[in-house]
Amino acid sequence: MRTSRTDLRRLRPAGADPGRLRTRLTCGLAAAGLMLLAAYPAESLDATARTPVPDKSYRSGKDALRSGVRDYNAGDKQGAVRALEYAADQGQTLALWKLGRMYADGDGVPHDDLKAFEYFSRIADDNDSDDKPEGGNSGVITSAFTALGTYFLDGIKGTYVRPNPERAYEMFNYAASFGDPNAQYNLARLYLDGTGVEQDPRKAARWFNLAAEKGHKPAQALLGDLLFNGVGVSRQPARGLTWLALARDGARPGSDDWIVELYDKAWSQASEADRADAMAKVQSTGSTRRRR
C-alpha cells in the first residue's frame, strides 16, 4: 500500500524534535519563475541562528519575498536572508526553495545539508497528494521531491536522515511523473541498477527517453548506450549512436568524460552504415557539430 511520500516522521529517532523534519534540494532547476531568485550569493551567517524579523516589517509574505529578491540582487545578502526567512514562515514556496538551495550549496551561508533538507521538506509536506502541482511553483515543487530522492539515496551523515532507497524511489517517481527531467533520469538509474525497486532495464529506457527528449545529456548518453547494446530494448545501433553523439556534444570537460568514453566505444564498434545513419540524423537536428 502506498504511503505518504512526505511522512518523514518514520525517520525520526525516539525523542527527536518533529519540527526538525524538513527536506532538501540539490539538483538544478530551469523553471522560468525561478530565474528571479537564482543568482543570490549571501554573506556568511550562523546556520543555527535565525535573524529576528519584526512582524510588521513586511505587509505580507509576498511583500517579504519581493524584498528578499531586491535585497539579494542589490548585494544586501543579510537583508535578503531576513526577508526570505519571513516569507518562508508565511508559506512562500519560492522563499523556502531559495533558502534550502543556499544551505545546500553553501551559497553565502554555511553549508548545512540538514538545514537545507528541512527547508525543502516543507515544500514537499505541502504537496504530498497525487495531484499535479499547480501554478508557477510546479518546477520548485517537483525539484524539491527530486532533491529528497538524492538525500534518501545517500542519507545525510551524522543526522537522522539515513539511506533509504525505497523512499528515494517514491520521491523520484512523484517528480518524474510530473515531468522533472532530473527525476526522470534518477528514476531510470534506479530501475537500471535495481536500487530501491526491482531491476527493469525496459522501464529504465523509458524514463531515460523522457529525460533525453528534454535535452538531459546524461540521460541521452545512457539511453544511447542501452539502444546501441540492446539492453532492455531491441538493439538499434544507429539510433543509440545518435543519442550518444547528441550527449557528447553537450558534455562538460572533466565531469562528463564518461559520456565521451561511451560515445567513443560505440563509435569504434559501429558499422560504417550505422555511423553514416547516425551522423545524418544528428545533422538533421541542428543541435550538434560533427567532430569526425
PDB file of all heavy atoms in Angstrom, residues 10 31 34 42 57 66 68 72 76 101 120 122 133 145 156 167-168 171 178 184-185 203 216 221 231 241 257 261 292:
ATOM      1  N   ARG A  10       8.568   8.819  10.091  1.00  0.00           N
ATOM      2  CA  ARG A  10       9.096   7.450  10.152  1.00  0.00           C
ATOM      3  C   ARG A  10      10.609   7.452  10.350  1.00  0.00           C
ATOM      4  O   ARG A  10      11.171   6.483  10.821  1.00  0.00           O
ATOM      5  CB  ARG A  10       8.764   6.712   8.849  1.00  0.00           C
ATOM      6  CG  ARG A  10       7.287   6.560   8.610  1.00  0.00           C
ATOM      7  CD  ARG A  10       7.018   5.622   7.469  1.00  0.00           C
ATOM      8  NE  ARG A  10       7.669   6.035   6.236  1.00  0.00           N
ATOM      9  CZ  ARG A  10       7.530   5.367   5.101  1.00  0.00           C
ATOM     10  NH1 ARG A  10       6.808   4.285   5.054  1.00  0.00           N
ATOM     11  NH2 ARG A  10       8.124   5.783   4.006  1.00  0.00           N
ATOM     12  N   ALA A  31      13.106  26.056 -14.183  1.00  0.00           N
ATOM     13  CA  ALA A  31      11.783  26.647 -14.290  1.00  0.00           C
ATOM     14  C   ALA A  31      11.892  28.156 -14.434  1.00  0.00           C
ATOM     15  O   ALA A  31      12.669  28.810 -13.753  1.00  0.00           O
ATOM     16  CB  ALA A  31      10.957  26.301 -13.060  1.00  0.00           C
ATOM     17  N   LEU A  34      11.910  30.646 -11.505  1.00  0.00           N
ATOM     18  CA  LEU A  34      12.996  30.625 -10.531  1.00  0.00           C
ATOM     19  C   LEU A  34      14.132  31.550 -10.905  1.00  0.00           C
ATOM     20  O   LEU A  34      14.992  31.836 -10.088  1.00  0.00           O
ATOM     21  CB  LEU A  34      13.555  29.211 -10.416  1.00  0.00           C
ATOM     22  CG  LEU A  34      12.506  28.192 -10.034  1.00  0.00           C
ATOM     23  CD1 LEU A  34      13.138  26.837  -9.948  1.00  0.00           C
ATOM     24  CD2 LEU A  34      11.881  28.574  -8.725  1.00  0.00           C
ATOM     25  N   ALA A  42      24.910  34.907  -0.645  1.00  0.00           N
ATOM     26  CA  ALA A  42      24.600  35.664   0.556  1.00  0.00           C
ATOM     27  C   ALA A  42      25.790  35.681   1.487  1.00  0.00           C
ATOM     28  O   ALA A  42      26.609  34.808   1.448  1.00  0.00           O
ATOM     29  CB  ALA A  42      23.393  35.067   1.266  1.00  0.00           C
ATOM     30  N   SER A  57       7.485  44.249   9.678  1.00  0.00           N
ATOM     31  CA  SER A  57       8.463  44.726   8.702  1.00  0.00           C
ATOM     32  C   SER A  57       7.926  44.635   7.277  1.00  0.00           C
ATOM     33  O   SER A  57       8.330  45.393   6.412  1.00  0.00           O
ATOM     34  CB  SER A  57       9.755  43.906   8.796  1.00  0.00           C
ATOM     35  OG  SER A  57      10.399  44.136  10.022  1.00  0.00           O
ATOM     36  N   ARG A  66       9.389  39.607  -2.328  1.00  0.00           N
ATOM     37  CA  ARG A  66       9.862  40.623  -3.273  1.00  0.00           C
ATOM     38  C   ARG A  66      11.026  41.407  -2.691  1.00  0.00           C
ATOM     39  O   ARG A  66      12.004  41.704  -3.387  1.00  0.00           O
ATOM     40  CB  ARG A  66       8.709  41.562  -3.642  1.00  0.00           C
ATOM     41  CG  ARG A  66       7.677  40.956  -4.573  1.00  0.00           C
ATOM     42  CD  ARG A  66       6.728  42.003  -5.107  1.00  0.00           C
ATOM     43  NE  ARG A  66       5.878  42.531  -4.054  1.00  0.00           N
ATOM     44  CZ  ARG A  66       4.669  42.070  -3.757  1.00  0.00           C
ATOM     45  NH1 ARG A  66       4.182  41.038  -4.443  1.00  0.00           N
ATOM     46  NH2 ARG A  66       3.949  42.608  -2.792  1.00  0.00           N
ATOM     47  N   GLY A  68      13.147  40.326  -0.454  1.00  0.00           N
ATOM     48  CA  GLY A  68      14.311  39.449  -0.438  1.00  0.00           C
ATOM     49  C   GLY A  68      14.992  39.386  -1.789  1.00  0.00           C
ATOM     50  O   GLY A  68      16.225  39.404  -1.880  1.00  0.00           O
ATOM     51  N   TYR A  72      18.720  40.778  -2.419  1.00  0.00           N
ATOM     52  CA  TYR A  72      19.716  39.831  -2.914  1.00  0.00           C
ATOM     53  C   TYR A  72      20.401  40.379  -4.158  1.00  0.00           C
ATOM     54  O   TYR A  72      21.623  40.385  -4.272  1.00  0.00           O
ATOM     55  CB  TYR A  72      19.039  38.502  -3.217  1.00  0.00           C
ATOM     56  CG  TYR A  72      20.016  37.385  -3.467  1.00  0.00           C
ATOM     57  CD1 TYR A  72      20.330  36.484  -2.457  1.00  0.00           C
ATOM     58  CD2 TYR A  72      20.624  37.231  -4.705  1.00  0.00           C
ATOM     59  CE1 TYR A  72      21.226  35.458  -2.677  1.00  0.00           C
ATOM     60  CE2 TYR A  72      21.530  36.207  -4.927  1.00  0.00           C
ATOM     61  CZ  TYR A  72      21.829  35.328  -3.917  1.00  0.00           C
ATOM     62  OH  TYR A  72      22.733  34.311  -4.134  1.00  0.00           O
ATOM     63  N   ASP A  76      22.616  43.112  -0.804  1.00  0.00           N
ATOM     64  CA  ASP A  76      22.364  43.100   0.635  1.00  0.00           C
ATOM     65  C   ASP A  76      21.972  41.686   1.035  1.00  0.00           C
ATOM     66  O   ASP A  76      20.798  41.360   1.146  1.00  0.00           O
ATOM     67  CB  ASP A  76      21.259  44.091   0.982  1.00  0.00           C
ATOM     68  CG  ASP A  76      20.958  44.130   2.481  1.00  0.00           C
ATOM     69  OD1 ASP A  76      21.685  43.446   3.249  1.00  0.00           O
ATOM     70  OD2 ASP A  76      20.004  44.821   2.883  1.00  0.00           O
ATOM     71  N   ARG A 101      18.125  26.023  -1.090  1.00  0.00           N
ATOM     72  CA  ARG A 101      19.161  25.993  -2.110  1.00  0.00           C
ATOM     73  C   ARG A 101      20.466  26.587  -1.592  1.00  0.00           C
ATOM     74  O   ARG A 101      21.557  26.084  -1.840  1.00  0.00           O
ATOM     75  CB  ARG A 101      18.661  26.800  -3.313  1.00  0.00           C
ATOM     76  CG  ARG A 101      19.500  26.769  -4.539  1.00  0.00           C
ATOM     77  CD  ARG A 101      19.427  25.440  -5.222  1.00  0.00           C
ATOM     78  NE  ARG A 101      20.699  24.760  -5.109  1.00  0.00           N
ATOM     79  CZ  ARG A 101      20.883  23.469  -5.280  1.00  0.00           C
ATOM     80  NH1 ARG A 101      19.858  22.693  -5.515  1.00  0.00           N
ATOM     81  NH2 ARG A 101      22.058  22.938  -5.183  1.00  0.00           N
ATOM     82  N   PHE A 120      13.407  22.196   2.445  1.00  0.00           N
ATOM     83  CA  PHE A 120      12.758  21.619   1.275  1.00  0.00           C
ATOM     84  C   PHE A 120      11.659  20.637   1.629  1.00  0.00           C
ATOM     85  O   PHE A 120      10.732  20.447   0.852  1.00  0.00           O
ATOM     86  CB  PHE A 120      13.792  20.994   0.357  1.00  0.00           C
ATOM     87  CG  PHE A 120      14.527  22.042  -0.417  1.00  0.00           C
ATOM     88  CD1 PHE A 120      15.819  22.378  -0.078  1.00  0.00           C
ATOM     89  CD2 PHE A 120      13.911  22.732  -1.445  1.00  0.00           C
ATOM     90  CE1 PHE A 120      16.493  23.365  -0.768  1.00  0.00           C
ATOM     91  CE2 PHE A 120      14.573  23.725  -2.136  1.00  0.00           C
ATOM     92  CZ  PHE A 120      15.867  24.042  -1.801  1.00  0.00           C
ATOM     93  N   ARG A 122       9.506  21.178   3.795  1.00  0.00           N
ATOM     94  CA  ARG A 122       8.291  21.985   3.996  1.00  0.00           C
ATOM     95  C   ARG A 122       7.550  22.181   2.684  1.00  0.00           C
ATOM     96  O   ARG A 122       6.315  22.244   2.661  1.00  0.00           O
ATOM     97  CB  ARG A 122       8.672  23.330   4.624  1.00  0.00           C
ATOM     98  CG  ARG A 122       9.137  23.178   6.074  1.00  0.00           C
ATOM     99  CD  ARG A 122       9.796  24.423   6.608  1.00  0.00           C
ATOM    100  NE  ARG A 122       8.888  25.565   6.668  1.00  0.00           N
ATOM    101  CZ  ARG A 122       9.249  26.780   7.087  1.00  0.00           C
ATOM    102  NH1 ARG A 122      10.511  26.988   7.479  1.00  0.00           N
ATOM    103  NH2 ARG A 122       8.376  27.759   7.119  1.00  0.00           N
ATOM    104  N   PRO A 133       1.206  19.467  -9.261  1.00  0.00           N
ATOM    105  CA  PRO A 133       1.453  20.787  -8.683  1.00  0.00           C
ATOM    106  C   PRO A 133       0.942  21.868  -9.623  1.00  0.00           C
ATOM    107  O   PRO A 133       1.114  21.788 -10.836  1.00  0.00           O
ATOM    108  CB  PRO A 133       2.988  20.837  -8.572  1.00  0.00           C
ATOM    109  CG  PRO A 133       3.413  19.418  -8.549  1.00  0.00           C
ATOM    110  CD  PRO A 133       2.436  18.680  -9.412  1.00  0.00           C
ATOM    111  N   PHE A 145      11.032  17.400  -4.501  1.00  0.00           N
ATOM    112  CA  PHE A 145      10.905  15.947  -4.393  1.00  0.00           C
ATOM    113  C   PHE A 145      12.123  15.247  -4.979  1.00  0.00           C
ATOM    114  O   PHE A 145      12.590  14.232  -4.439  1.00  0.00           O
ATOM    115  CB  PHE A 145       9.633  15.480  -5.102  1.00  0.00           C
ATOM    116  CG  PHE A 145       8.394  15.583  -4.263  1.00  0.00           C
ATOM    117  CD1 PHE A 145       7.630  16.742  -4.271  1.00  0.00           C
ATOM    118  CD2 PHE A 145       7.985  14.535  -3.460  1.00  0.00           C
ATOM    119  CE1 PHE A 145       6.484  16.847  -3.499  1.00  0.00           C
ATOM    120  CE2 PHE A 145       6.842  14.628  -2.670  1.00  0.00           C
ATOM    121  CZ  PHE A 145       6.092  15.789  -2.692  1.00  0.00           C
ATOM    122  N   ILE A 156      22.181  11.671   5.101  1.00  0.00           N
ATOM    123  CA  ILE A 156      22.997  12.821   5.493  1.00  0.00           C
ATOM    124  C   ILE A 156      23.817  12.381   6.700  1.00  0.00           C
ATOM    125  O   ILE A 156      23.275  12.135   7.777  1.00  0.00           O
ATOM    126  CB  ILE A 156      22.134  14.046   5.843  1.00  0.00           C
ATOM    127  CG1 ILE A 156      21.252  14.433   4.658  1.00  0.00           C
ATOM    128  CG2 ILE A 156      23.018  15.227   6.253  1.00  0.00           C
ATOM    129  CD1 ILE A 156      20.294  15.585   4.948  1.00  0.00           C
ATOM    130  N   ARG A 167      12.450   4.976  -0.294  1.00  0.00           N
ATOM    131  CA  ARG A 167      11.896   6.327  -0.201  1.00  0.00           C
ATOM    132  C   ARG A 167      12.426   7.196  -1.337  1.00  0.00           C
ATOM    133  O   ARG A 167      11.712   8.044  -1.872  1.00  0.00           O
ATOM    134  CB  ARG A 167      12.246   6.942   1.148  1.00  0.00           C
ATOM    135  CG  ARG A 167      11.601   6.229   2.328  1.00  0.00           C
ATOM    136  CD  ARG A 167      10.136   6.565   2.456  1.00  0.00           C
ATOM    137  NE  ARG A 167       9.967   7.849   3.115  1.00  0.00           N
ATOM    138  CZ  ARG A 167       8.838   8.561   3.091  1.00  0.00           C
ATOM    139  NH1 ARG A 167       7.807   8.118   2.421  1.00  0.00           N
ATOM    140  NH2 ARG A 167       8.746   9.702   3.739  1.00  0.00           N
ATOM    141  N   ALA A 168      13.668   6.968  -1.717  1.00  0.00           N
ATOM    142  CA  ALA A 168      14.219   7.693  -2.860  1.00  0.00           C
ATOM    143  C   ALA A 168      13.388   7.415  -4.106  1.00  0.00           C
ATOM    144  O   ALA A 168      13.068   8.325  -4.879  1.00  0.00           O
ATOM    145  CB  ALA A 168      15.675   7.297  -3.088  1.00  0.00           C
ATOM    146  N   MET A 171      10.162   9.444  -4.074  1.00  0.00           N
ATOM    147  CA  MET A 171      10.370  10.861  -4.373  1.00  0.00           C
ATOM    148  C   MET A 171      10.617  11.075  -5.859  1.00  0.00           C
ATOM    149  O   MET A 171      10.014  11.946  -6.492  1.00  0.00           O
ATOM    150  CB  MET A 171      11.554  11.398  -3.568  1.00  0.00           C
ATOM    151  CG  MET A 171      11.411  11.278  -2.067  1.00  0.00           C
ATOM    152  SD  MET A 171      10.004  12.226  -1.437  1.00  0.00           S
ATOM    153  CE  MET A 171       9.605  11.246   0.011  1.00  0.00           C
ATOM    154  N   PHE A 178       5.527  14.097 -13.095  1.00  0.00           N
ATOM    155  CA  PHE A 178       5.089  15.426 -13.479  1.00  0.00           C
ATOM    156  C   PHE A 178       6.136  16.152 -14.326  1.00  0.00           C
ATOM    157  O   PHE A 178       6.127  17.377 -14.436  1.00  0.00           O
ATOM    158  CB  PHE A 178       4.728  16.248 -12.242  1.00  0.00           C
ATOM    159  CG  PHE A 178       3.562  15.664 -11.489  1.00  0.00           C
ATOM    160  CD1 PHE A 178       3.677  15.317 -10.149  1.00  0.00           C
ATOM    161  CD2 PHE A 178       2.357  15.434 -12.121  1.00  0.00           C
ATOM    162  CE1 PHE A 178       2.609  14.769  -9.455  1.00  0.00           C
ATOM    163  CE2 PHE A 178       1.278  14.882 -11.437  1.00  0.00           C
ATOM    164  CZ  PHE A 178       1.405  14.553 -10.098  1.00  0.00           C
ATOM    165  N   GLN A 184      13.352  12.097 -13.697  1.00  0.00           N
ATOM    166  CA  GLN A 184      13.203  11.020 -14.677  1.00  0.00           C
ATOM    167  C   GLN A 184      14.526  10.286 -14.875  1.00  0.00           C
ATOM    168  O   GLN A 184      14.554   9.048 -14.949  1.00  0.00           O
ATOM    169  CB  GLN A 184      12.701  11.608 -16.000  1.00  0.00           C
ATOM    170  CG  GLN A 184      11.264  12.081 -15.916  1.00  0.00           C
ATOM    171  CD  GLN A 184      10.822  12.888 -17.117  1.00  0.00           C
ATOM    172  OE1 GLN A 184      11.647  13.406 -17.883  1.00  0.00           O
ATOM    173  NE2 GLN A 184       9.515  13.030 -17.300  1.00  0.00           N
ATOM    174  N   TYR A 185      15.608  11.031 -14.938  1.00  0.00           N
ATOM    175  CA  TYR A 185      16.930  10.408 -15.069  1.00  0.00           C
ATOM    176  C   TYR A 185      17.266   9.572 -13.841  1.00  0.00           C
ATOM    177  O   TYR A 185      17.707   8.422 -13.957  1.00  0.00           O
ATOM    178  CB  TYR A 185      17.984  11.495 -15.265  1.00  0.00           C
ATOM    179  CG  TYR A 185      19.406  10.989 -15.158  1.00  0.00           C
ATOM    180  CD1 TYR A 185      19.977  10.272 -16.203  1.00  0.00           C
ATOM    181  CD2 TYR A 185      20.157  11.224 -14.007  1.00  0.00           C
ATOM    182  CE1 TYR A 185      21.286   9.797 -16.105  1.00  0.00           C
ATOM    183  CE2 TYR A 185      21.461  10.749 -13.902  1.00  0.00           C
ATOM    184  CZ  TYR A 185      22.019  10.039 -14.956  1.00  0.00           C
ATOM    185  OH  TYR A 185      23.305   9.563 -14.851  1.00  0.00           O
ATOM    186  N   LYS A 203      11.981  -0.326 -18.329  1.00  0.00           N
ATOM    187  CA  LYS A 203      11.452   0.877 -17.698  1.00  0.00           C
ATOM    188  C   LYS A 203      12.534   1.953 -17.607  1.00  0.00           C
ATOM    189  O   LYS A 203      12.255   3.143 -17.750  1.00  0.00           O
ATOM    190  CB  LYS A 203      10.894   0.558 -16.320  1.00  0.00           C
ATOM    191  CG  LYS A 203       9.569  -0.195 -16.351  1.00  0.00           C
ATOM    192  CD  LYS A 203       8.995  -0.380 -14.946  1.00  0.00           C
ATOM    193  CE  LYS A 203       7.651  -1.091 -15.005  1.00  0.00           C
ATOM    194  NZ  LYS A 203       7.077  -1.319 -13.647  1.00  0.00           N
ATOM    195  N   HIS A 216      18.397  16.330 -21.532  1.00  0.00           N
ATOM    196  CA  HIS A 216      19.212  15.903 -20.393  1.00  0.00           C
ATOM    197  C   HIS A 216      20.362  15.039 -20.915  1.00  0.00           C
ATOM    198  O   HIS A 216      20.155  13.912 -21.364  1.00  0.00           O
ATOM    199  CB  HIS A 216      18.338  15.109 -19.420  1.00  0.00           C
ATOM    200  CG  HIS A 216      18.928  14.912 -18.068  1.00  0.00           C
ATOM    201  ND1 HIS A 216      19.971  14.027 -17.843  1.00  0.00           N
ATOM    202  CD2 HIS A 216      18.641  15.469 -16.859  1.00  0.00           C
ATOM    203  CE1 HIS A 216      20.286  14.044 -16.562  1.00  0.00           C
ATOM    204  NE2 HIS A 216      19.505  14.919 -15.944  1.00  0.00           N
ATOM    205  N   ALA A 221      22.970   9.962 -23.005  1.00  0.00           N
ATOM    206  CA  ALA A 221      24.100   9.044 -23.106  1.00  0.00           C
ATOM    207  C   ALA A 221      23.716   7.632 -22.700  1.00  0.00           C
ATOM    208  O   ALA A 221      24.046   6.655 -23.399  1.00  0.00           O
ATOM    209  CB  ALA A 221      25.251   9.549 -22.240  1.00  0.00           C
ATOM    210  N   VAL A 231      20.130  -3.443 -24.536  1.00  0.00           N
ATOM    211  CA  VAL A 231      19.884  -3.807 -23.142  1.00  0.00           C
ATOM    212  C   VAL A 231      18.478  -3.338 -22.749  1.00  0.00           C
ATOM    213  O   VAL A 231      18.216  -2.137 -22.674  1.00  0.00           O
ATOM    214  CB  VAL A 231      20.922  -3.177 -22.197  1.00  0.00           C
ATOM    215  CG1 VAL A 231      20.598  -3.524 -20.743  1.00  0.00           C
ATOM    216  CG2 VAL A 231      22.323  -3.630 -22.557  1.00  0.00           C
ATOM    217  N   LEU A 241      23.691   5.380 -31.327  1.00  0.00           N
ATOM    218  CA  LEU A 241      24.840   6.235 -31.616  1.00  0.00           C
ATOM    219  C   LEU A 241      24.404   7.687 -31.795  1.00  0.00           C
ATOM    220  O   LEU A 241      25.141   8.613 -31.423  1.00  0.00           O
ATOM    221  CB  LEU A 241      25.553   5.728 -32.874  1.00  0.00           C
ATOM    222  CG  LEU A 241      26.942   6.310 -33.160  1.00  0.00           C
ATOM    223  CD1 LEU A 241      27.893   6.057 -31.990  1.00  0.00           C
ATOM    224  CD2 LEU A 241      27.496   5.726 -34.453  1.00  0.00           C
ATOM    225  N   ASP A 257      33.334  13.230 -18.801  1.00  0.00           N
ATOM    226  CA  ASP A 257      34.245  12.438 -19.625  1.00  0.00           C
ATOM    227  C   ASP A 257      33.690  11.044 -19.896  1.00  0.00           C
ATOM    228  O   ASP A 257      33.975  10.436 -20.934  1.00  0.00           O
ATOM    229  CB  ASP A 257      35.616  12.323 -18.945  1.00  0.00           C
ATOM    230  CG  ASP A 257      36.405  13.619 -19.030  1.00  0.00           C
ATOM    231  OD1 ASP A 257      35.989  14.536 -19.771  1.00  0.00           O
ATOM    232  OD2 ASP A 257      37.443  13.729 -18.334  1.00  0.00           O
ATOM    233  N   GLU A 261      33.562   8.765 -23.366  1.00  0.00           N
ATOM    234  CA  GLU A 261      34.073   7.389 -23.427  1.00  0.00           C
ATOM    235  C   GLU A 261      33.017   6.429 -23.970  1.00  0.00           C
ATOM    236  O   GLU A 261      33.334   5.538 -24.777  1.00  0.00           O
ATOM    237  CB  GLU A 261      34.529   6.952 -22.039  1.00  0.00           C
ATOM    238  CG  GLU A 261      35.769   7.688 -21.542  1.00  0.00           C
ATOM    239  CD  GLU A 261      36.101   7.377 -20.094  1.00  0.00           C
ATOM    240  OE1 GLU A 261      35.401   6.513 -19.505  1.00  0.00           O
ATOM    241  OE2 GLU A 261      37.037   7.981 -19.544  1.00  0.00           O
ATOM    242  N   ARG A 292      33.925  14.175 -36.435  1.00  0.00           N
ATOM    243  CA  ARG A 292      34.760  13.163 -37.086  1.00  0.00           C
ATOM    244  C   ARG A 292      34.672  13.342 -38.603  1.00  0.00           C
ATOM    245  O   ARG A 292      33.661  13.739 -39.115  1.00  0.00           O
ATOM    246  CB  ARG A 292      34.311  11.748 -36.687  1.00  0.00           C
ATOM    247  CG  ARG A 292      34.573  11.443 -35.224  1.00  0.00           C
ATOM    248  CD  ARG A 292      34.222   9.993 -34.937  1.00  0.00           C
ATOM    249  NE  ARG A 292      34.377   9.698 -33.528  1.00  0.00           N
ATOM    250  CZ  ARG A 292      35.488   9.212 -32.997  1.00  0.00           C
ATOM    251  NH1 ARG A 292      36.534   8.992 -33.739  1.00  0.00           N
ATOM    252  NH2 ARG A 292      35.545   8.936 -31.705  1.00  0.00           N
TER     253      ARG A 292
END
